[in-house]
Amino acid sequence: MSSGDNQQLQTLTKPALHEKEAVELTERVFGLKVSEIRALPSYDDQNFHVRVTRKEGTADCADDYVLKIINSEDSQNPELIEVQTRIMMFLNAEGFPSAVPHLTKDGNIMSLESIGTGSLTKKYMVRLLTYLPGTPLAKCPTNPQILYEIGKLAARLDRVLSEKFHHPSVKSLHRGKFIWNLANVPLLDQYIHALGQSEYCEVVSQVIQQFKEKILPNLSNFRACINHGDLNDHNILVDCNPASSPERAQYRVTGILDFSDMSYGYYVFEVAIAIMYMMIESKDPLSVGGHVLAGFESIVPLTPEERGALFLLVSGRFSQSLVVAAHTLQLYPENQEYLMITARVGWKHLVQLFEVGQEVVEKIWFETADAYASAAQA
């Protein structure tokens, strides 16, 4: 997910290249010979899985990449795209499974390309990223082991960026009214009309009001950092060491995707976002938070103030995902399948959180997380 740096969500110009055009673009900009290409799902950019052939001695070898064509709005901010790409390169060098760019023929990490004809011509930023192996976590049954590992991964990622990443353009991650920054839940007031007159509208209104009253006045009590901002189950790739049952499967993270929602935020934002997305496909969603939190706190223990905000932050991220998807669906009805991934069960989970109540949910999460900590000290 991306876009929406301004207070108003823009009517985005999502790229709409045909496969033949994507092949020509890859060969012209990157100087590679494409042997296979297929479209990949995306929110507001356009992605292709590209296989290229190259000579190694006398043999033909194949390499896989993702051709990423950024929407026209975000393409107007090359500084932000560059720092996101530099972060991916930095994390890869630090041992994280993140993609790195293949350089253009001119030796650059990205290229601004004019695509279209006549008055329909628009400029799009284009990158070619290494293709990461693995299966999206959304396609795998989760268990406590992988939930813990994802919490740990989220904390490690935020900490290493905050402590070791330096770049002149890092200031561009202060994204103001970026709709996907968790601090901007109150901006949903402008888009809640997309829900119509439904019970969901009332729930989101409650979230927004409580967020204004309980979260915004306390942001200064949270520890700041750089957030990935979108560690959802489609942006995490895994491989699995099969066991006799899914509950005993041992997963290993092989890829972290989509750095387009990166911004300055807070450690507690990252763990809240991870908890929310890990709840989506879980058969026992209320239990998820404790395992993710335990992994996160094994690296970055939360303060009492941060723990106290977690319930509303998770609810806020549900609201962001659901309201923005409903709004974007009105703009791009042809992208319904991808846009409604979260909505299929997300509303049920958000309503359940409020029906069960903050006190009970926190008890489940914190007792689970504290049990991990006690076991580690034993």
Side-chain angles (χ1 to χ4, degrees):
M1 288 172 272
S2 184
S3 302
D5 275 7
N6 300 319
Q7 189 160 345
Q8 297 292 325
L9 272 174
Q10 303 293 323
T11 302
L12 304 175
T13 303
K14 180 176 179 176
L17 275 72
H18 298 294
E19 289 185 355
K20 183 178 179 181
E21 296 172 298
V23 168
E24 185 277 331
L25 183 67
T26 304
E27 296 183 346
R28 175 171 56 83
V29 175
F30 299 98
L32 299 174
K33 181 65 176 176
V34 176
S35 58
E36 296 179 42
I37 190 168
R38 65 180 176 88
L40 296 171
S42 63
Y43 202 87
D44 48 28
D45 301 325
Q46 190 176 23
N47 301 325
F48 292 91
H49 179 185
V50 176
R51 176 162 288 181
V52 304
T53 54
R54 59 178 172 81
K55 284 287 186 182
E56 192 169 285
T58 58
D60 286 333
C61 298
D63 293 317
D64 291 290
Y65 297 94
V66 172
L67 176 68
K68 191 169 187 70
I69 308 160
I70 309 296
N71 69 78
S72 61
E73 181 193 340
D74 287 349
S75 292
Q76 298 174 37
N77 193 347
E79 187 177 47
L80 176 62
I81 300 172
E82 176 173 356
V83 78
Q84 291 167 349
T85 310
R86 297 293 179 186
I87 284 174
M88 294 163 63
M89 297 164 68
F90 165 80
L91 290 172
N92 182 274
E94 290 287 319
F96 289 82
S98 57
V100 294
H102 182 90
L103 299 182
T104 68
K105 289 193 294 186
D106 297 329
N108 299 314
I109 62 174
M110 58 190 186
S111 179
L112 187 63
E113 296 294 320
S114 295
I115 298 174
T117 57
S119 61
L120 298 178
T121 300
K122 293 189 179 295
K123 292 186 176 182
Y124 300 99
M125 195 66 76
V126 176
R127 292 178 298 175
L128 190 67
L129 304 174
T130 51
Y131 185 87
L132 298 175
T135 302
L137 185 59
K139 296 183 178 181
C140 305
T142 58
N143 59 26
Q145 178 261 335
I146 189 57
L147 296 174
Y148 181 91
E149 290 301 321
I150 286 165
K152 189 174 178 179
L153 174 71
R156 287 178 54 234
L157 190 152
D158 282 12
R159 190 173 71 175
V160 74
L161 287 177
S162 296
E163 293 179 353
K164 298 177 66 175
F165 180 75
H166 306 284
H167 190 274
S169 297
V170 74
K171 63 182 183 298
S172 65
L173 295 177
H174 291 288
R175 299 179 70 174
K177 300 298 183 180
F178 180 49
I179 193 67
W180 290 110
N181 187 296
L182 203 39
N184 290 329
V185 165
L187 295 184
L188 296 177
D189 271 333
Q190 301 168 68
Y191 311 107
I192 200 170
H193 60 82
L195 303 179
Q197 299 299 315
S198 68
E199 62 174 312
Y200 301 142
C201 187
E202 182 179 345
V203 174
V204 172
S205 295
Q206 288 184 51
V207 173
I208 294 171
Q209 186 58 38
Q210 291 187 37
F211 203 96
K212 291 176 180 177
E213 294 172 357
K214 299 178 181 179
I215 300 298
L216 293 186
N218 293 308
L219 287 177
S220 61
N221 295 325
F222 305 154
R223 290 165 298 164
C225 67
I226 297 172
N227 292 147
H228 175 281
D230 198 15
L231 288 175
N232 68 57
D233 51 351
H234 291 267
N235 286 340
I236 297 173
L237 303 178
V238 298
D239 70 4
C240 176
N241 180 16
S244 57
S245 66
E247 292 77 16
R248 297 178 59 190
Q250 293 293 307
Y251 292 98
R252 181 177 64 90
V253 176
T254 61
I256 306 168
L257 306 179
D258 196 353
F259 287 76
S260 61
D261 284 358
M262 298 201 78
S263 64
Y264 272 103
Y266 303 90
Y267 283 106
V268 69
F269 282 12
E270 196 79 274
V271 66
I273 291 167
I275 288 172
M276 175 260 161
Y277 284 119
M278 293 306 107
M279 290 176 66
I280 292 297
E281 301 296 340
S282 175
K283 295 178 181 178
D284 185 13
L286 292 184
S287 71
V288 163
H291 302 292
V292 178
L293 179 60
F296 195 92
E297 290 195 315
S298 72
I299 304 297
V300 180
L302 297 187
T303 66
E305 292 85 0
E306 290 166 339
R307 272 194 167 201
L310 202 52
F311 176 86
L312 272 178
L313 291 173
V314 172
S315 303
R317 185 54 166 204
F318 266 116
S319 300
Q320 284 179 315
S321 183
L322 295 165
V323 171
V324 173
H327 173 80
T328 309
L329 184 60
Q330 294 179 342
L331 303 177
Y332 298 104
E334 71 278 4
N335 208 16
Q336 179 173 0
E337 182 177 357
Y338 186 80
L339 289 170
M340 300 307 287
I341 287 172
T342 299
R344 292 189 186 105
V345 292
W347 285 117
K348 180 178 69 174
H349 293 344
L350 178 58
V351 170
Q352 184 185 30
L353 282 174
F354 270 74
E355 288 178 344
V356 174
Q358 180 170 348
E359 184 177 350
V360 173
V361 172
E362 285 183 341
K363 186 173 186 293
I364 295 169
W365 289 351
F366 298 162
E367 286 185 354
T368 299
D370 293 344
Y372 276 90
S374 297
Q377 294 171 2

